[in-house]
Amino acid sequence: MKRLVSACLLGVNCRYDAGNSRNENALKQQETDELIPVCPEEAGGLPTPRPAVEIVGGDGNDVLDGKAKVMTADGQDKTEQFLKGAQHALELAQSQGATSVIFKSRSPSCGCGKIYDGSFSGTLITGDGVTAALLKRHGIKVISM
């Protein structure tokens, strides 16, 4: 089975802080699945490292619907880059025939089920990141690690 996976889970230093979120469970998936690494934030044109961002005014679905924005703590709008990166991930999944993805939890791009609330206080809310929301809208199963 082909699956997209958050590149940071495979040990790629692409997180906002130039680190990674290496995850042994994600790495073990390579034994049974063909994993295709992706970082929607880099694909959207953001550099590494980059300022931390959170979704302000909702979750990824709200960003897709134009009701919320992806912002840095000092007020820089990064919504366009997040939308571009999400579209890239969707096109990659579709072109590779991936019907599921393994994504980094709590990320404003890849988070599934829980994301930060936009206050930069560490508070979690129920919701999905921008890329996770877009992929779900297209019938792609999102697994969070």
Side-chain angles (χ1 to χ4, degrees), residues 12-27:
V12 176
N13 293 330
C14 58
R15 283 175 33 114
Y16 74 96
D17 60 1
N20 66 66
S21 298
R22 184 181 168 95
N23 182 292
E24 293 304 319
N25 289 327
L27 289 165

Side-chain angles (χ1 to χ4, degrees), residues 1-3 29 32-36 97-101 143:
M1 175 187 316
K2 289 185 179 184
R3 290 184 174 180
Q29 290 295 312
T32 57
D33 299 329
E34 181 182 338
L35 300 182
I36 303 157
T99 56
S100 68
V101 299
I143 301 162

